[in-house]
Amino acid sequence: MSAAAATHRLFRMDEMETLRRDRRLDPQLIRQLRNGLLKKFEPDDVVRERFPASDAVQLHALKLFQRMDSEIDGATKLLFETDSGLLIESVILRIASGRTTLCVSSQIGCAAACDFCATGKMGIAKNLATEEILDQVVQAGQILRAENRRLSNIVFMGMGEPLHNEANVTEAIQLLTAPDHFARSPSTVLVSTVGVPAAMLRLANAFPRLNLALSLHSADQATRETIIPLGKKASLTQLHDTIQEIQTIQDREFMIEYLMLRGVNDSAEDAKRLIDWIGDLRVHVNLIPYNTIEASPHLQASPRPTIESFADLLKASGLKTTVRYSLGHDIEAACGQLIRQENRQRAMQARRAAAEGDSHVGFLDVRQVIDGLES
Ligand code: SF4
């Protein structure tokens, strides 16, 4: 198959319809192709063999660049190369209970610029296309199928702020839940945001059974803005009101993510502030132990006893609270570092190419875009 001939993208209804007409294909064959790849995650050669015009279909939008398997738990990082030449990551989490969760990226880099996050330090913010988001699911699904495992949940917690790429993320969720595409239940999908109120409401309205999470990390406005620069775009009061409104649309628990940072947000006073801020919202609080990153040596993880005492305070006030120990510690640093270096190099090459009038990679500096973002 020549790459140039494979011009019809599987996720583009219009392109697949053109192919069907041009090659006079039975619509059933396209349905079969989608079912095989998107619902059953069958291998490429199997679905291609059954499809008479397989030379003209592009099954994947991403190229697998590297796979890293954790040696201590069931995590696998998949590094993908996008069309723009930059790298993104997805993480497969094989949880002891037998469930398997896939964490997907929605952007390359991120304009939220969180101080504790390697992606936020990348200095690049570029939206992934819908097919680039969905192909992470397809390729991870194929890996899991080969292991006789089923993909249970999909979480938008990888690189990027999903609601800064709202149109493509919304379209991706539409296709993930569409009966003629992935046919997954919206309740198996979770979108995590640092807080873009209007977009959160639109998403809740569009998908009342979708799970939503807010990366809060502090219930003190000034502290929050220091660790999440984008936090100044929406006040804590505004975020509280937004969740309250979402709970009138969605009959489900809202997830609050809280990263435990030593001396920043982990005192008993911080816990009290968090309890007060939550008030009567129906939430589940996830306390997340921090993994240090090279670019932020001033941030340290809270010691385990501190996390436990913090959790006890929340629980004593009646809040559903869990401590989420993340998987894949051994591959985390290696992977973040590799992506950062590779993307920096590639972005620099692109900058040079742009200066010479050959702009292939469109990228933006996060500082330039942060002020233009919708709150
Ligand atoms: S929003 Fe998420 S990906 Fe973006 S900088 Fe913050 S933690 Fe990193």
Side-chain angles (χ1 to χ4, degrees), residues 41-196:
F41 300 124
E42 289 176 336
D44 290 2
D45 52 348
V46 172
V47 291
R48 281 197 185 281
E49 208 175 285
R50 279 198 308 253
F51 190 66
S54 71
D55 61 309
V57 181
Q58 194 191 84
L59 297 182
H60 298 288
L62 300 168
K63 208 161 83 193
L64 185 61
F65 175 76
Q66 196 167 337
R67 171 179 173 165
M68 293 174 166
D69 292 294
S70 166
E71 285 179 6
I72 50 172
D73 52 40
T76 297
K77 284 222 180 190
L78 303 173
L79 305 194
F80 292 108
E81 187 174 314
T82 63
D83 241 8
S84 63
L86 297 172
L87 299 184
I88 56 158
E89 68 172 35
S90 316
V91 190
I92 297 175
L93 301 160
R94 297 173 189 83
I95 299 156
S97 64
R99 278 186 309 121
T100 308
T101 296
L102 175 71
C103 175
V104 294
S105 293
S106 54
Q107 295 186 300
I108 306 168
C110 183
C114 299
D115 198 19
F116 49 81
C117 170
T119 302
K121 303 276 178 190
M122 214 172 263
I124 306 162
K126 186 178 185 300
N127 287 340
L128 291 183
T130 306
E131 53 266 32
E132 290 173 324
I133 297 171
L134 293 174
D135 197 25
Q136 299 170 63
V137 179
V138 174
Q139 296 203 39
Q142 288 178 314
I143 288 172
L144 290 168
R145 179 190 162 101
E147 301 170 10
N148 277 327
R149 286 189 85 110
R150 221 174 47 80
L151 177 57
S152 337
N153 297 93
I154 296 165
V155 298
F156 284 78
M157 285 187 171
M159 290 168 67
E161 163 51 61
L163 300 185
H164 288 169
N165 186 11
E166 188 187 350
N168 295 348
V169 166
T170 303
E171 191 184 23
I173 300 169
Q174 259 150 11
L175 294 177
L176 283 171
T177 54
D180 57 349
H181 281 72
F182 291 82
R184 305 185 70 87
S185 161
S187 62
T188 64
V189 182
L190 180 138
V191 175
S192 174
T193 173
V194 289
V196 186

Side-chain angles (χ1 to χ4, degrees), residues 133-303:
I133 297 171
L134 293 174
D135 197 25
Q136 299 170 63
V137 179
V138 174
Q139 296 203 39
Q142 288 178 314
I143 288 172
L144 290 168
R145 179 190 162 101
E147 301 170 10
N148 277 327
R149 286 189 85 110
R150 221 174 47 80
L151 177 57
S152 337
N153 297 93
I154 296 165
V155 298
F156 284 78
M157 285 187 171
M159 290 168 67
E161 163 51 61
L163 300 185
H164 288 169
N165 186 11
E166 188 187 350
N168 295 348
V169 166
T170 303
E171 191 184 23
I173 300 169
Q174 259 150 11
L175 294 177
L176 283 171
T177 54
D180 57 349
H181 281 72
F182 291 82
R184 305 185 70 87
S185 161
S187 62
T188 64
V189 182
L190 180 138
V191 175
S192 174
T193 173
V194 289
V196 186
M200 288 162 75
L201 283 167
R202 280 192 290 270
L203 213 53
N205 271 308
F207 308 101
R209 289 172 59 223
L210 179 78
N211 298 299
L212 290 167
L214 173 70
S215 295
L216 185 73
H217 308 325
S218 174
D220 173 66
Q221 186 69 30
T223 309
R224 189 165 192 266
E225 287 178 21
T226 340
I227 49 179
I228 309 174
L230 193 81
K232 55 177 161 302
K233 287 268 167 188
S235 71
L236 284 164
T237 312
Q238 211 182 341
L239 291 173
H240 184 279
D241 293 351
T242 303
I243 299 174
Q244 203 154 41
E245 195 173 339
I246 286 173
Q247 297 202 308
T248 65
I249 303 163
Q250 294 193 314
D251 182 23
R252 54 200 315 112
E253 233 166 38
F254 198 98
M255 185 87 78
I256 300 293
E257 307 279 345
Y258 196 99
L259 191 67
M260 296 296 294
L261 297 166
R262 179 184 212 144
V264 175
N265 62 359
D266 63 352
S267 68
E269 262 165 44
D270 290 311
K272 164 96 178 57
R273 254 194 292 267
L274 176 59
I275 294 164
D276 289 348
W277 179 81
I278 290 172
D280 58 1
L281 294 177
R282 198 153 60 88
V283 299
H284 186 135
V285 183
N286 245 327
L287 300 179
I288 312 163
Y290 176 58
N291 290 327
T292 35
I293 59 162
E294 213 183 49
S296 288
H298 55 286
L299 294 177
Q300 305 292 324
S302 303

